[in-house]
Amino acid sequence: MAIKKSELYSSLWAGCDELRGSMDASQYKNYVLVLLFMKYVSDRKDPLMEFPPESSFYDMLKYRGKDEIGDKINKIIGAFAKANGLTGIIDTNDNDFENDEKLGKGKDKIDLLTNLLNIFNKPELDFSKNRAEGDDLLGDAYEFLMRHFATESGKSKGQFYTPAEVSRIMAQLIGIDKSTSQDQSLYDPTCGSGSLLLKAADIAPHGITIYGQENDNATRALAVMNMWLHNFADAEILQGNTMSKPLFTNNETGELKQFDFAVANPPFSYKSWMNGLDPVNDIYKRFEGYDNLPPKKNGDFAFLLHLVKSLKSKGKACIVLPLGVLFRGNSEADIRRKIIQKGYIKAIIGLPANLFYGTGIAASLIVIDKEDAADRKEIFMIDASKGFIKDGNKNRLREQDIHKIVDTYSNRLTIEKFSRTIPISEIADPKNDYNLNIPRYIDSQEAEDIQDIEAHLLGGIPKRDIEDLQNYWTVYKTMKADLFSPIANRPNYYQLNIVNEEIKNTIFNHPEFAVFSKTMEEVFTEWEAETIVHTKALDKGLRPKSEIHIISENLLSHYHGKPLTDKYAMYQHLMDYWAETMQDDFYELAADGWSAGNDLKRLEKKTKKGEKEIIKQVPGLEGLEGRLIPPALMIQVYFAKEQQAIDELESQIETVKSKLEELIEENSGEDGLLAEVTDGKGKVTKTAVLKRLKEIAPKKGKKQDEDSKEEFDLLELYKWLTEEAAEISIKLIIAKADLEKKVIAQYPKLTIDEIKTVVVEKKWMAAMEQRIHTEMDNISHRLTQRIKELADRYETPMPLLTQEVEALTTKVENHLKQMKFVW
């Protein structure tokens, strides 16, 4: 059975929970990641790895609960490190399992380490046969942990990680997907945990040779482990200060080694970049030819010039730098001018603020391309600062934002308020003076919603506001005339032809709206039909990431150029659903094919009784979990009548219960008819009711006492209602049990074709149809809301308001005079 990403992530995070109390994320990440690494290499047993005695994760397990557990874990990791050239990388002081200060002493440490090993020994973390070919489940898990560690590490300690979304954009901007050989090289001078390098290497079609340098030794260890976990064990990751002692040099010339591709996310505005370095006499000549040196206390341009020097004559790179590098003056202005004049800058992308860990400031991506630099006459700019989603206390780029940036860059699209090509002559113009501040060239500000004075005074809706909705009138060609008509003698104003309350109905019932809706339904139906055929043809061994790429690109192509719709919004709906549901389903299919749809399991719940942990099965339908088909979907498809009967019984119970509650509410209290059967807590019990009925029931052969008749009748009604509720409850229990049996029996009966129909059509496509339908509804709601807003805004002109105020004032004054008030 495949590992679900959601289960893998939650298990890994449980490991973090074990350590979270005793140290902060910047420390406990080292323990969690080295155990993850040891578990992975022990499960995979790669033939290129050496495993001497006592060097596997599984050798650690025998020491659970024993005094020497910490020491033994250290020795096992050390043995593996020594045999595989990883000494000083995975066996450092940062992950010393004998550290009493971090892990506690005595039994506390033994229990903590035992629990930690048990977590990594769970079936969810069995990596021996859980990778879909071409996909990187473990690598994604490592990324998941790095992102969370960066989030928790705080301002100064999260810089080891570049957000995956930014890394993915940078990888595509340098054109590494067009690389032609594994011998081509990829370099990161400040590689951190290696995530940026790996995202670039991931899209190199023939593989790539990786080089990275990182100043911090513990972070370099993370990068080395990251390379191993992503199948790049031969990557060369060195530790040292890139500015004062770059470690990748040409053996023959002593100059900097040069690379085909490079990526970098150096520390922003690094103050200590000159430590150990005399830039005037830099032996690598990184600062020659730029008319000035970077400021002593700001290393942004120092890292940029190092990157430029590290590229081959046709090399391409992308670097993350603060927006300030685009416009700051003095020495930085001199350097910026020379870089532009040399033609090195191919593109600039402005990113949203608060994306990066360790800082909230906005950053930019600067794309460097030495190929044909001397002939470069323009720089392509994108202002992507508005496209993001809030994610906790950070901002995060969405899938739609990533795709839009890459598409726009790749196709050099000019999009209003988003992107354009800037001639170097415009940048060099004295009014700009080589200032690259993006707002100088792209006005991304939203148009102000202007209040029209004449419309407030005389009424009517400004023509300007109606024409701003031209994208709708292009589609709904006659709707504008049906909704509005020009005001005589006031050519720049319209009046609404209907009352405000009828705006929505008029739009939604308009024949052109119906035609457009049908057309857009056909767009979805066409994509849906193609996707059904494609996905039903998938089977065991599929590559999830490749498949979602095919499916999502097809969705984008279907919605490309369609009026009123944003194809990237449609794409986002699919990618959200992929992350929530489809992704796990595809990994299950990759592992075992469509027969996974026959699998059903009973969920278990852990509870603690004193020191003991008890595992209990979750009863009923709620305790069932289908591997591909949720029980609720199985019921919807095969047992709708049974579910309807259950729903009716539940409705009947609710009706009876509400009658009981109403009866108690109306007759409780000291003088109420239920006073005698209400206990000290205000509760009415069946026992008390039966006892009271016995007391006031008419004696044999006698009539009911008139004084107690009303109470007796009420109690009889209460008794009947409780019995009715009990009877329905029994029926409900029986019906649910019967449905549960049918559901359990149905899973193994399903044929492969039936599973495909249920999963593809009833699950995936039904969910997507609902999401796309919501998006289309939103398009029309936006038109409705805007027209209603304008109608409400100018409905009552100022003179009319003044008249109403004057009339009300006169009324009040008259009342006050009659009451003999003088003011």
Side-chain angles (χ1 to χ4, degrees):
M1 189 178 289
I3 295 177
K4 287 189 175 181
K5 282 198 174 185
S6 51
E7 291 175 359
L8 172 60
Y9 293 171
S10 62
S11 293
L12 290 174
W13 207 234
C16 301
D17 285 337
E18 284 294 326
L19 295 165
R20 194 171 277 114
S22 55
M23 63 194 98
D24 68 28
S26 65
Q27 295 174 316
Y28 70 66
K29 73 176 186 297
N30 302 306
Y31 290 94
V32 172
L33 293 174
V34 78
L35 279 183
L36 175 63
F37 178 78
M38 288 301 296
K39 181 64 165 64
Y40 173 75
V41 295
S42 301
D43 281 344
R44 300 300 289 179
K45 288 285 185 184
D46 192 301
L48 298 175
M49 296 176 195
E50 296 287 333
F51 282 93
E54 292 281 297
S55 68
S56 160
F57 171 83
Y58 294 99
D59 294 316
M60 300 176 189
L61 298 180
K62 62 182 119 174
Y63 300 106
R64 286 176 291 184
K66 296 185 178 177
D67 292 345
E68 66 269 35
I69 185 171
D71 178 56
K72 291 296 184 182
I73 292 174
N74 281 344
K75 285 176 177 172
I76 289 165
I77 293 171
F80 179 83
K82 186 177 179 182
N84 292 278
L86 293 171
T87 300
I89 293 173
I90 62 170
D91 56 344
T92 68
N93 289 333
D94 294 307
N95 53 13
D96 177 9
F97 287 85
E98 270 287 84
N99 190 317
D100 292 349
E101 189 181 327
K102 291 181 180 177
L103 302 172
K105 295 179 180 178
K107 188 175 183 302
D108 287 344
K109 181 171 70 177
I110 294 167
D111 289 348
L112 185 148
L113 294 179
T114 297
N115 290 341
L116 202 53
L117 290 179
N118 285 337
I119 287 166
F120 279 90
N121 196 40
K122 285 181 175 181
E124 301 96 277
L125 294 175
D126 178 6
F127 301 111
S128 59
K129 50 186 181 300
N130 273 293
R131 174 179 289 190
E133 187 187 345
D135 272 42
D136 202 357
L137 188 64
L138 197 276
D140 291 345
Y142 194 88
E143 283 283 322
F144 164 84
L145 286 173
M146 296 300 259
R147 185 172 73 249
H148 281 74
F149 290 146
T151 303
E152 290 200 350
S153 288
K155 188 166 183 181
S156 63
K157 298 173 184 172
Q159 293 181 2
F160 58 82
Y161 177 71
T162 303
E165 297 82 11
V166 177
S167 299
R168 285 167 54 198
I169 292 171
M170 294 174 71
Q172 294 183 76
L173 297 182
I174 62 174
I176 201 170
D177 56 324
K178 297 177 183 66
S179 59
T180 55
S181 164
Q182 186 166 352
D183 293 334
Q184 288 183 282
S185 53
L186 170 65
Y187 170 59
D188 186 341
T190 55
C191 70
S193 62
S195 56
L196 185 46
L197 277 171
L198 287 165
K199 282 290 183 287
D202 191 44
I203 63 170
H206 308 285
I208 202 84
T209 303
I210 296 176
Y211 300 87
Q213 184 164 341
E214 169 55 39
N215 194 36
D216 180 76
N217 194 45
T219 305
R220 181 239 178 176
L222 297 182
V224 172
M225 286 190 283
N226 207 356
M227 295 297 149
W228 276 62
L229 296 175
H230 285 80
N231 282 343
F232 286 101
D234 57 351
E236 198 171 344
I237 308 294
L238 303 180
Q239 187 264 319
N241 185 324
T242 295
M243 294 311 303
S244 63
K245 193 177 179 183
L247 297 174
F248 295 106
T249 55
N250 187 309
N251 292 333
E252 295 175 6
T253 65
E255 295 181 351
L256 288 182
K257 183 178 176 67
Q258 293 187 313
F259 305 92
D260 297 291
F261 302 98
V263 286
N265 178 14
F268 288 0
S269 306
Y270 188 53
K271 291 180 180 178
S272 306
W273 71 274
M274 288 177 63
N275 284 0
L277 170 68
D278 176 8
V280 176
N281 300 302
D282 178 37
I283 61 171
Y284 304 108
K285 302 174 184 175
R286 290 170 287 187
F287 311 106
E288 284 186 8
Y290 293 97
D291 294 348
N292 218 323
L293 293 173
K296 290 182 179 180
K297 295 294 183 183
N298 191 320
D300 292 333
F301 272 97
F303 285 108
L304 176 57
L305 295 179
H306 173 86
L307 195 71
V308 169
K309 192 71 175 177
S310 300
L311 289 176
K312 291 180 180 179
S313 60
K314 292 185 178 181
K316 295 159 177 59
C318 185
I319 184 170
V320 185
L321 289 171
L323 283 177
V325 300
L326 303 178
F327 54 79
R328 291 194 299 248
N330 302 318
S331 64
E332 291 184 309
D334 296 335
I335 298 169
R336 184 171 56 246
R337 180 185 300 107
K338 291 302 290 185
I339 292 174
I340 295 169
Q341 288 171 350
K342 288 172 184 283
Y344 289 151
I345 298 178
K346 185 177 186 178
I348 296 167
I349 294 96
L351 297 173
N354 202 27
L355 283 184
F356 293 89
Y357 301 97
T359 179
I361 66 173
S364 60
L365 301 180
I366 299 178
V367 182
I368 303 295
D369 189 354
K370 279 190 172 180
E371 187 172 8
D372 300 324
D375 299 323
R376 185 159 287 124
K377 297 289 188 285
E378 57 198 27
I379 294 175
F380 188 67
M381 283 191 186
I382 298 175
D383 185 346
S385 59
K386 304 288 194 296
F388 62 89
I389 191 172
K390 290 294 295 178
D391 185 8
N393 62 354
K394 304 301 292 181
N395 294 332
R396 181 167 55 82
L397 294 171
R398 299 163 295 181
E399 291 294 330
Q400 70 183 79
D401 303 317
I402 297 167
H403 213 301
K404 184 177 181 181
I405 290 169
V406 173
D407 282 354
T408 304
Y409 171 81
S410 301
N411 299 299
R412 295 295 187 274
L413 301 176
T414 298
I415 300 173
E416 188 182 2
K417 297 184 179 297
F418 187 73
S419 62
R420 64 176 281 238
T421 300
I422 320 296
I424 299 289
S425 57
E426 183 179 342
I427 295 167
D429 188 283
K431 71 176 181 184
N432 291 318
D433 193 22
Y434 293 94
N435 186 316
L436 293 174
N437 197 17
I438 295 172
R440 280 178 177 259
Y441 307 99
I442 300 172
D443 179 10
S444 63
Q445 296 301 311
E446 291 301 319
E448 188 182 352
D449 187 10
I450 298 168
Q451 299 279 341
D452 190 286
I453 302 299
E454 184 178 331
H456 277 301
L457 289 171
L458 303 177
I461 298 171
K463 182 180 180 182
R464 175 189 62 248
D465 289 325
I466 305 298
E467 288 178 346
D468 283 345
L469 300 170
Q470 185 57 42
N471 57 335
Y472 287 98
W473 311 138
T474 303
V475 176
Y476 307 139
K477 296 186 185 299
T478 64
M479 186 185 287
K480 177 180 168 185
D482 292 339
L483 287 169
F484 308 100
S485 54
I487 297 176
N489 303 321
R490 293 177 63 208
N492 291 322
Y493 295 88
Y494 283 86
Q495 65 186 15
L496 194 62
N497 295 335
I498 52 174
V499 294
N500 294 9
E501 291 72 22
E502 285 301 312
I503 293 171
K504 182 178 178 180
N505 283 339
T506 304
I507 291 172
F508 277 68
N509 293 318
H510 198 278
E512 288 171 347
F513 177 83
V515 169
F516 176 69
S517 298
K518 188 172 184 301
T519 303
M520 297 315 295
E521 280 172 19
E522 287 168 359
V523 172
F524 176 79
T525 302
E526 190 178 323
W527 172 80
E528 179 186 39
E530 292 172 11
T531 306
I532 287 170
V533 171
H534 179 80
T535 50
K536 282 186 177 182
L538 299 174
D539 213 333
K540 187 175 178 178
L542 69 90
R543 298 171 63 176
K545 287 182 181 176
S546 298
E547 294 305 333
I548 187 57
H549 178 74
I550 293 166
I551 294 165
S552 61
E553 290 301 313
N554 192 31
L555 181 74
L556 277 167
S557 71
H558 274 79
Y559 282 96
H560 178 73
K562 297 296 182 286
L564 301 182
T565 61
D566 178 356
K567 67 178 181 179
Y568 296 109
M570 303 301 185
Y571 170 79
Q572 185 65 42
H573 282 297
L574 175 57
M575 298 313 292
D576 285 345
Y577 185 58
W578 169 257
E580 292 162 19
T581 302
M582 281 180 78
Q583 176 176 242
D584 280 343
D585 289 348
F586 271 54
Y587 275 96
E588 296 288 5
L589 286 174
D592 293 315
W594 291 100
S595 61
N598 295 118
D599 292 346
L600 179 73
K601 71 175 182 181
R602 175 73 63 185
L603 297 173
E604 294 178 335
K605 188 167 69 174
K606 290 179 184 176
T607 54
K608 275 206 167 183
K609 196 172 183 182
E611 290 295 309
K612 258 190 170 182
E613 192 174 71
I614 300 169
I615 298 175
K616 287 185 177 179
Q617 289 193 330
V618 181
L621 282 163
E622 297 78 15
L624 298 177
E625 182 179 76
R627 195 169 159 198
L628 277 182
I629 304 172
L633 181 58
M634 187 72 88
I635 292 166
Q636 178 190 319
V637 175
Y638 292 101
F639 306 109
K641 283 185 180 176
E642 289 86 341
Q643 184 60 50
Q644 188 180 353
I646 287 171
D647 292 342
E648 285 172 5
L649 287 170
E650 286 178 335
S651 175
Q652 288 171 26
I653 283 182
E654 285 305 311
T655 302
V656 172
K657 281 183 178 176
S658 65
K659 285 180 180 177
L660 276 168
E661 286 168 8
E662 190 180 327
L663 188 143
I664 291 168
E665 192 177 330
E666 289 176 358
N667 296 279
S668 58
E670 289 181 15
D671 299 324
L673 293 172
L674 295 175
E676 294 294 330
V677 294
T678 305
D679 62 18
K681 294 179 181 177
K683 294 275 178 72
V684 176
T685 64
K686 188 179 178 183
T687 307
V689 170
L690 293 174
K691 184 182 175 187
R692 182 62 179 162
L693 277 169
K694 200 171 181 182
E695 288 172 359
I696 63 173
K699 303 297 180 214
K700 198 171 181 182
K702 291 192 176 181
K703 275 189 175 184
Q704 175 71 49
D705 185 351
E706 285 298 322
D707 292 339
S708 59
K709 185 177 186 313
E710 192 179 355
E711 182 187 1
F712 182 84
D713 290 345
L714 186 74
L715 292 174
E716 280 287 346
L717 175 59
Y718 182 91
K719 178 188 165 192
W720 180 83
L721 286 171
T722 54
E723 287 170 351
E724 180 75 1
E727 191 178 323
I728 298 169
S729 294
I730 291 167
K731 287 180 184 176
L732 183 61
I733 291 166
I734 293 168
K736 283 186 174 180
D738 182 53
L739 178 57
E740 184 181 350
K741 284 177 189 171
K742 286 181 178 179
V743 168
I744 292 169
Q746 187 66 25
Y747 276 88
K749 289 180 189 174
L750 293 177
T751 65
I752 294 299
D753 283 342
E754 286 172 333
I755 291 169
K756 288 180 178 181
T757 299
V758 173
V759 174
V760 176
E761 297 180 32
K762 308 295 184 184
K763 184 181 181 183
W764 298 341
M765 291 302 105
M768 278 306 300
E769 183 175 16
Q770 188 176 9
R771 289 167 184 245
I772 298 293
H773 183 73
T774 301
E775 184 65 33
M776 294 309 301
D777 276 353
N778 288 340
I779 291 168
S780 304
H781 282 304
R782 284 193 286 273
L783 174 64
T784 303
Q785 286 165 0
R786 180 57 177 163
I787 293 174
K788 192 165 188 324
E789 180 185 26
L790 292 169
D792 290 344
R793 179 184 294 173
Y794 300 114
E795 184 176 26
T796 311
M798 186 66 75
L800 193 57
L801 280 173
T802 305
Q803 287 174 23
E804 287 179 10
V805 169
E806 287 172 353
L808 289 169
T809 302
T810 303
K811 224 180 212 181
V812 170
E813 287 176 352
N814 288 336
H815 281 305
L816 289 170
K817 282 176 184 174
Q818 289 171 16
M819 295 165 68
K820 309 226 184 289
F821 280 101
V822 182
W823 63 96

